[in-house]
């Protein structure tokens, strides 16, 4: 998984088109994750990726199409991480999949982008893609992971709680505010100190 922050993203000379596209999507994930779809401009994404704004538009067309590419990539990453977590004892599957989801924190903006996409169901372009991505995760957890409806509901609710913790940038209050400390310990019982390293602080731009 990538742990690169937006400020560290640089455009390498003679970069392949596919690599440059991935670089832009990584930067866009961080910026959209911090500022939401509505609050982000393609110029900000271009600046974060180290490319020109016309290049971003030429590659993706519109901000909506760029955002769609970002959330398609994000949902695909979730499924890919869950697939990797399937092998092993069935009784430990939920723990492994939960750790895989928390591992997505290594890419800045990934979880907030997923959370933000669920608020855009009414958008005629983005809504169908967001609904499809959400449904694909539910179906994977039910059909491939073999969770019951209740287990799937609880598992996905835990993921949404993690999204809220990341989006609210609660990490800075860990250890000083009882409720924040409690919720982070509950979300990451085995890895709270490690995942705190990846969480954005309230004063960080992305």
């Amino acid at each position: 998984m990538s742990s690169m922050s937006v400020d560290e993203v640089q455009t390498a000379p003679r970069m392949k088109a596919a690599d440059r596209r991935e670089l832009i999507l990584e930067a866009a994930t961080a910026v959209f994750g911090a500022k939401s779809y509505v609050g982000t401009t393609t110029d900000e994404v271009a600046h974060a990726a180290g490319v020109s704004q016309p290049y971003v538009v030429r590659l993706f067309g519109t901000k909506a199409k760029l955002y769609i590419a970002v959330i398609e990539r994000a949902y695909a990453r979730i499924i890919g991480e869950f697939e990797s977590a399937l092998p092993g004892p069935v009784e430990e599957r939920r723990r492994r999949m939960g750790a895989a989801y928390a591992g997505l924190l290594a890419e800045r903006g990934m979880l907030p982008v997923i959370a933000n996409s669920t608020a855009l169901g009414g958008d005629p372009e983005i809504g169908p893609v967001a609904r499809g991505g959400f449904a694909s995760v539910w179906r994977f957890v039910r059909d491939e992971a073999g969770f019951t409806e209740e287990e799937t509901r609880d598992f996905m609710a835990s993921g949404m709680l993690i999204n809220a913790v990341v989006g609210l940038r609660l990490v800075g209050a860990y250890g000083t505010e009882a409720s924040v400390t409690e919720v982070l310990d509950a979300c990451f019982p085995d890895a709270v100190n490690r995942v705190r390293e990846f969480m954005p602080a309230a004063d960080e731009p992305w």
Side-chain angles (χ1 to χ4, degrees), residues 164-181:
V165 167
V166 176
L168 289 169
R169 302 194 175 203
L170 297 179
V171 65
Y174 183 82
T176 59
E177 293 188 20
S179 59
V180 172
T181 303

Side-chain angles (χ1 to χ4, degrees), residues 1-4 6 9 18-33 60 64-81 104 106-111 113-114 117 129-130 132-134 136-137:
M1 291 179 201
S2 171
S3 59
M4 188 181 295
V6 176
V9 174
D19 292 336
R20 184 171 284 112
R21 184 179 190 276
E22 178 63 18
L23 180 147
I24 293 171
L25 288 174
E26 185 174 345
T29 298
V31 180
F32 280 129
F60 293 95
K65 287 183 172 59
L66 171 61
Y67 188 80
I68 285 169
V70 165
I71 61 174
E72 286 177 334
R73 173 178 176 271
Y75 279 112
R77 282 286 303 280
I78 291 175
I79 298 297
E81 294 300 322
L104 292 169
E107 181 170 343
R108 188 60 63 90
M110 179 67 69
L111 299 189
V113 157
I114 292 295
S117 75
V129 179
F134 183 86
S136 71
V137 174

